[in-house]
Amino acid sequence: MERFAALLDALVYTRGRNAKLALIADYLRTTPDPDRGWALAALTDALDFPAVKSSTIRNLLTERVDPLLFALSRDFVGDTAETASLLWPQASDDAMPPPSLSEAVGLLQGMTRASVMSELPRLLDRLDADGRYALFKLATGGLRVGVSARLAKTAFAQGFGVPVEEVEEYWHALVPPYAELFAWGAHGAPPPDTGELPLFRPFMLAHPLEDAVLDLEDYVAEWKWDGIRVQIAHAGGETRLYSRTGDDVTGSFPEMAEALGFPAVLDGELLVRGTHQGGEVGGAASFNALQQRLGRKTVSTRMLADYPAFVRLYDVLILEGEDVRELPWTERRARLEALMPRLPAERFDLSPVVEADHFEHLAEIRAGARDEAIEGLMLKRKDSAYVAGRKTGLWYKWKRDPLLVDCVLMYAQRGSGKRSSFYSDYTFGCWDGDPDEGAELLPVGKAYFGFTDEELKQLDRYVRSHTVNRFGPVRETDRGVVFEVAFDSVHASRRHKSGLAMRFPRISRIRWDKPAHEADRIETLRALVRD
Amino acid sequence: MAAPFAWIRAEPHGIHVVPADCWIDPSLPVPNALVTHGHSDHARGGHGRTVATPETLAIMELRYQTREGAMPVQYGETIRLPGGVDATFVPAGHVLGSAQIVLDHAGERVVVTGDYKRRPDPTCPPFEAVPCDVFVTEATFGLPVFRHPPIEREIGKLRDALRREPDRCVLVGAYALGKAQRLIAELRRAGHHDAIFLHGALERMCRLYEAFGVDLGELRLVADARREELRGATVICPPSALNDRWSRRLPDPITAMASGWMRVRQRARQRNVELPLIISDHADWDELTATIEEVDPAESWITHGREEALLRWCQLHKRRARALALVGYEDEDD
Ligand SMILES: [Zn+2]
Ligand SMILES: [Zn+2]
């Protein structure tokens, strides 16, 4: 438990992704089984101890600490679990030695609503303040140490020198503490069997096209739809929907869970019905509409009716127990087209191939596609197998050119990690009218990348010498610098004062030359909304 | 006969010893001041006469560039103030020269702690508990969540980081008076004999400590060092310089901070600290409450920090107490 507590604390204080990876990889390499497996489960939020609720912690404390002292402490610390870990009366020296992580997990699993109030204190008495904090976080879930499941899997891969795609694939076949996964990764045992389960298979991903010109003899083009990439898997009578990161999102889209009735693993874009993408009736609504459905634990009938989901299929990975990932794209495509009649049309359609005579023709189609295929084009090598991850030369994404708008820097905030001494996070705005007639700037977005290190230094110097106000880590600057901001799309949003929200804004150029009053107005941005 | 303790009053800008017309740690200039220790919120300049330990007076001279009106008094020495008030300066264990002020008048005894701690500190003599009628106590860490860990554990964390990352340096933010020198002295006590590098703002205070006989080992300035020499080294700076442009000259520093506030994770994260060192020059909750029990006063007056929780503790333990609303004291960056 001490090692796990130390890992959690180190992760709390470490900001950089690589540093976090190194910490976890080192922990996984040097910690014995099954502790490391339980730690991995805790980091990926795969554990659940229903007997322990955050109210349990509060109740335990109010039995032991004066309520006013608890309230004052909680206000100061800001986190109930941390407050409780610090307030817990230190046990006498003859308490039992601290438990290992697996012993703690075993004890937590054995607790019931009826026994938790007597058993949890005995466990807490064996730990110091850091250990108690780790135990509370473990027991109530949600470690909040900035580690995604993907990062944890990458750390496993890095720690044992195995491909992350394979970790991803075996992962879903296993339950904590993942004994077979460690046997494979750490000791070279044969990989776990991924047989008869609706498991996640790692996605094949694309590289940006950059400046390359491809021969359309070898490559086929498809639209890149602006939804969320999903995999839908059916096996053993069960259907699951996975996001790009391998998260199970079936719960948010129950209509999709009922839509696939035979064993298969399919790759496609999850969209919501509407008339925007593709233009024709029965097409897809904008990404904004899809967002209404994301991240919901329960879905109302109203939601299902207003924003019905469907999947626009790109590919097939497994069909009736046969793994077709080794086949070339053309053959997989043929199988995909052949199976379409077996799928309900209101839940599935096929992403069409975009026909073009030659590459320049394709470029024209792409340039004209602003309203249609929101994100751009995909180019897939016709003879390529379905390979996990990003392999050079097989798939390319050719995003349509970004939208551009000129904005004025309004606020700057210190970055984190290596950038903590720089003002590197910028909030910028557009004019709400004619600046020469007293118009104001309204914030329209925030960006912290797109510039070079040298430009960052210049901007940092600029911010420091043009500060007009300070609010904690934030400085308000005079309205003197114009950014050319690139973004993928803009949508109506009630969360922002300007009523607009950009997707993927980044600084494309710093316009030192441009006077602030020549920056764009809100109307210009509003005209680009395609909701 | 006057009401009990009527001769001493808590006013917004300090504690007033009425018969002597004397103020303890006043936040405004007064004709006669008694100063517990050199931290700037206690030791302001501009008083007519300042009574304090020689160490505190030297610290004030360093800051205000004048010794005018300085009246040194040694630990344990009693001076007679006008109006029949005796004042004795007793070690508080907080920083170099820090004292509690024991006041005796008309058979009543009041102790003003200033800031204090109960843990051993190689840079100053330890706190002495003086039984009294009124105990005016600080409450900087007056919440039951504050239980400072042993300093050996925290020094160990720092040395582990140095060992683990020989190509980087550990940059510790530490309060310029007291914390920085105690940190250095504790590193030395733990067997760390390498040169320790200082931000320029810490140099004069370290030299002053040395002049009073505190051995700090080899100290060098960051400004005089080559980048390569700083790899694997401990660098100490004032907390305000931690995320400042100044730190860019250091080789990939691990940002640390030595402060009692580091007990709380959110506080450490707010300061972008990677290595929080829970080192405080103030009494923690257990020490605050144990000290009240030890000196066993008829009344406790609580000031300077989280008065509310300590007041509640006194109430729960059937002890008379009140919170003083003094102005001008800050949460020291401690
Ligand atoms: Zn102080
Ligand atoms: Zn103080």
Side-chain angles (χ1 to χ4, degrees):
Chain A
M1 197 74 199
E2 289 120 311
R3 293 211 48 176
F4 178 65
L7 173 67
L8 282 195
D9 263 342
L11 290 170
V12 164
Y13 298 122
T14 305
R15 302 212 180 207
R17 180 174 183 276
N18 287 340
K20 285 189 189 221
L21 275 177
L23 281 170
I24 301 170
D26 184 58
Y27 174 90
L28 294 178
R29 241 189 340 256
T30 56
T31 306
D33 292 316
D35 271 18
R36 55 184 173 186
W38 291 117
L40 196 54
L43 288 171
T44 53
D45 203 13
L47 297 176
D48 185 26
F49 305 104
V52 191
K53 297 256 169 287
S54 50
S55 59
T56 318
I57 300 178
R58 264 197 310 280
N59 294 339
L60 281 176
L61 263 290
T62 34
E63 283 178 4
R64 286 165 176 79
V65 179
D66 173 61
L68 180 64
L69 289 178
F70 180 55
L72 290 169
S73 299
R74 167 70 182 72
D75 285 352
F76 184 87
V77 174
D79 177 275
T80 302
E82 185 173 357
T83 311
S85 74
L86 294 171
L87 284 181
W88 191 259
Q90 194 68 49
S92 55
D93 289 338
D94 56 353
M96 285 170 71
S100 68
L101 178 57
S102 23
E103 189 188 351
V105 168
L107 290 167
L108 286 170
Q109 281 171 334
M111 290 179 198
T112 62
R113 292 276 165 85
S115 70
V116 67
M117 294 296 276
S118 60
E119 287 179 22
L120 190 53
R122 281 205 290 278
L123 190 49
L124 289 165
D125 282 342
R126 296 168 61 184
L127 295 162
D128 66 5
D130 292 341
R132 292 189 292 260
Y133 176 75
L135 185 77
F136 283 138
K137 290 289 171 182
L138 174 73
T140 56
L143 301 176
R144 304 266 204 95
V145 290
V147 174
S148 63
R150 174 74 188 173
L151 190 83
K153 292 166 198 168
T154 310
F156 183 99
Q158 186 174 308
F160 298 112
V162 291
V164 68
E165 293 78 18
E166 287 183 39
V167 177
E168 192 86 74
E169 176 146 355
Y170 305 142
W171 184 275
H172 293 268
L174 303 171
V175 290
Y178 315 112
E180 299 99 317
L181 191 70
F182 283 98
W184 165 71
H187 307 298
D193 182 19
T194 51
E196 273 300 285
L197 292 163
L199 294 177
F200 173 73
R201 306 307 197 286
F203 278 101
M204 180 159 180
L205 303 170
H207 275 285
L209 184 62
E210 312 287 358
D211 295 324
V213 170
L214 301 177
D215 187 344
L216 294 189
E217 283 291 303
D218 301 328
Y219 287 85
V220 64
E222 279 177 53
W223 294 123
K224 184 172 179 354
W225 301 97
D226 189 19
I228 54 172
R229 182 99 178 266
V230 291
Q231 183 174 97
I232 185 161
H234 181 100
E238 197 190 339
T239 304
R240 283 195 209 155
L241 194 65
Y242 295 103
S243 73
R244 255 237 357 231
T245 46
D247 294 321
D248 185 342
V249 294
T250 323
S252 302
F253 300 94
E255 68 266 57
M256 292 311 305
E258 293 160 11
L260 182 59
F262 53 88
V265 177
L266 307 172
D267 178 347
E269 196 83 10
L270 183 75
L271 297 160
V272 158
R273 288 281 171 215
T275 52
H276 268 289
Q277 295 183 47
E280 73 275 25
V281 177
S286 72
F287 188 81
N288 223 22
L290 176 59
Q291 267 186 329
Q292 308 297 321
R293 292 287 308 268
L294 296 180
R296 288 180 188 269
K297 286 235 163 72
T298 57
V299 190
S300 65
T301 346
R302 177 82 195 270
M303 271 287 154
L304 290 171
D306 287 354
Y307 301 102
F310 70 101
V311 172
R312 186 157 282 167
L313 293 169
Y314 293 133
D315 217 322
V316 52
L317 285 70
I318 295 173
L319 190 54
E320 304 286 13
E322 186 192 353
D323 194 331
V324 296
R325 284 179 287 182
E326 289 301 315
L327 300 180
W329 178 86
T330 35
E331 282 188 44
R332 295 198 312 277
R333 177 77 187 185
R335 302 217 184 184
L336 183 63
E337 285 173 10
L339 75 83
M340 287 313 291
R342 300 173 63 191
L343 294 167
E346 81 272 19
R347 295 287 166 242
F348 292 97
D349 63 14
L350 187 62
S351 180
V353 166
V354 178
E355 304 288 351
D357 306 334
H358 46 79
F359 197 76
E360 292 69 32
H361 182 200
L362 197 59
E364 270 168 47
I365 295 175
R366 167 177 161 274
R370 172 83 68 215
D371 296 336
E372 297 184 36
I374 301 294
E375 276 204 85
L377 287 169
M378 292 292 297
L379 290 151
K380 300 180 175 176
R381 211 181 147 85
K382 291 176 182 169
D383 61 4
S384 70
Y386 192 98
V387 191
R390 250 180 210 102
K391 262 248 164 69
T392 322
L394 302 185
W395 283 13
Y396 291 100
K397 55 185 170 194
W398 193 14
K399 285 202 174 189
R400 56 146 209 247
D401 292 332
L403 300 163
L404 295 174
V405 69
D406 286 337
C407 302
V408 184
L409 172 63
M410 298 178 71
Y411 305 97
Q413 184 172 357
R414 278 184 197 273
S416 54
K418 275 196 188 319
R419 281 177 163 195
S420 59
S421 76
F422 291 96
Y423 285 89
S424 62
D425 297 8
Y426 308 110
T427 301
F428 39 81
C430 288
W431 299 107
D432 66 354
D434 186 344
D436 292 329
E437 292 184 6
E440 290 291 331
L441 284 169
L442 285 182
V444 296
K446 227 179 173 178
Y448 46 90
F449 63 97
F451 35 81
T452 64
D453 287 352
E454 193 45 47
E455 285 172 325
L456 173 60
K457 282 186 195 156
Q458 289 171 7
L459 284 170
D460 180 68
R461 269 199 299 277
Y462 179 87
V463 169
R464 288 171 190 276
S465 54
H466 292 79
T467 300
V468 297
N469 244 322
R470 292 175 190 227
F471 316 92
V474 177
R475 289 185 184 218
E476 181 177 2
T477 56
D478 64 3
R479 279 84 203 269
V481 185
V482 175
F483 290 154
E484 184 182 85
V485 177
F487 56 101
D488 286 2
S489 57
V490 59
H491 302 276
S493 161
R494 254 169 298 171
R495 270 182 312 172
H496 300 87
K497 202 177 161 197
S498 61
L500 298 171
M502 292 175 168
R503 283 191 80 203
F504 303 126
R506 60 265 183 197
I507 313 281
S508 94
R509 276 195 297 165
I510 307 166
R511 297 291 307 266
W512 298 107
D513 56 309
K514 190 161 191 164
H517 68 265
E518 284 180 22
D520 281 309
R521 300 198 196 164
I522 291 280
E523 305 103 79
T524 314
L525 199 55
R526 196 170 290 131
L528 298 170
V529 172
R530 291 273 180 273
D531 284 332
Chain B
M1 193 181 126
F5 321 122
W7 54 277
I8 184 145
R9 284 202 202 122
E11 304 284 354
H13 62 273
I15 292 182
H16 192 198
V17 188
V18 181
D21 191 23
C22 214
W23 295 79
I24 299 176
D25 292 353
S27 57
L28 296 174
V30 296
N32 296 300
L34 306 179
V35 171
T36 59
H37 69 287
H39 279 142
S40 57
D41 52 339
H42 296 259
R44 312 244 171 190
H47 306 308
R49 222 157 49 132
T50 303
V51 184
T53 62
E55 295 87 345
T56 298
L57 290 170
I59 291 163
M60 291 177 73
E61 187 186 349
L62 196 65
R63 186 173 302 125
Y64 303 116
Q65 304 295 316
T66 170
R67 268 193 85 83
E68 217 184 297
M71 254 200 71
V73 47
Q74 302 292 335
Y75 284 132
E77 191 186 327
T78 300
I79 53 163
R80 169 58 57 100
L81 303 172
V85 181
D86 286 338
T88 312
F89 282 58
V90 174
H94 175 54
V95 296
L96 180 73
S98 66
Q100 311 170 69
I101 300 176
V102 179
L103 299 162
D104 287 290
H105 177 70
E108 291 170 339
R109 171 171 285 181
V110 175
V111 171
V112 180
T113 65
D115 293 336
Y116 78 94
K117 72 170 172 288
R118 304 296 304 261
R119 310 282 171 106
D121 179 340
T123 70
C124 62
F127 178 92
E128 290 172 21
V130 181
C132 58
D133 301 305
V134 174
F135 188 56
V136 185
T137 177
E138 67 137 325
T140 307
F141 289 97
L143 273 178
V145 291
F146 290 111
R147 294 194 191 114
H148 307 323
I151 193 164
E152 292 76 14
R153 189 189 96 150
E154 303 306 292
I155 295 290
K157 271 161 51 180
L158 198 166
R159 301 193 72 198
D160 283 348
L162 288 169
R163 258 194 300 273
R164 227 176 21 244
E165 303 273 7
D167 290 333
R168 302 175 68 185
C169 69
V170 176
L171 173 64
V172 192
Y175 207 48
L177 164 55
K179 187 64 58 66
Q181 297 77 21
R182 179 177 174 216
L183 181 71
I184 296 168
E186 287 288 356
L187 275 165
R188 299 308 185 204
R189 197 165 69 86
H192 183 88
H193 300 301
D194 299 348
I196 292 173
F197 292 85
L198 302 179
H199 183 285
L202 300 179
E203 190 193 12
R204 290 192 308 164
M205 197 58 79
C206 289
R207 297 301 172 216
L208 187 145
Y209 264 64
E210 287 171 331
F212 279 97
V214 179
D215 183 10
L216 298 178
E218 188 191 349
L219 301 179
R220 295 181 53 192
L221 287 179
V222 169
D224 300 339
R226 283 177 294 115
R227 197 180 163 88
E228 284 310 305
E229 293 179 293
L230 297 171
R231 292 193 192 279
T234 306
V235 179
I236 305 181
C237 71
S240 60
L242 267 186
N243 293 318
D244 191 61
R245 273 177 290 181
W246 171 83
S247 66
R248 288 184 202 163
R249 73 187 69 190
L250 304 174
D252 194 9
I254 299 167
T255 311
M257 169 97 178
S259 157
W261 304 119
M262 294 297 107
R263 178 85 262 185
V264 174
R265 287 172 178 80
Q266 195 51 34
R267 286 281 183 124
R269 279 180 59 83
Q270 270 165 8
R271 298 204 76 129
N272 271 335
V273 166
E274 289 169 79
L275 180 67
L277 303 173
I278 311 164
I279 301 178
S280 171
D281 284 332
H282 292 270
D284 67 9
W285 174 260
D286 292 342
E287 291 160 0
L288 288 169
T289 55
T291 304
I292 292 178
E293 288 187 323
E294 190 177 351
V295 302
D296 195 23
E299 259 183 53
S300 299
W301 295 0
I302 305 162
T303 165
H304 193 182
R306 267 129 287 275
E307 295 90 353
E308 220 182 331
L310 202 52
L311 199 61
R312 174 67 175 173
W313 179 88
C314 289
Q315 189 190 10
L316 292 170
H317 289 78
K318 312 258 181 305
R319 290 189 167 276
R320 278 175 75 94
R322 55 187 272 225
L324 308 185
L326 299 185
V327 297
Y329 293 101
E330 296 136 22
D331 265 356
E332 280 162 18
D333 238 336
D334 192 74

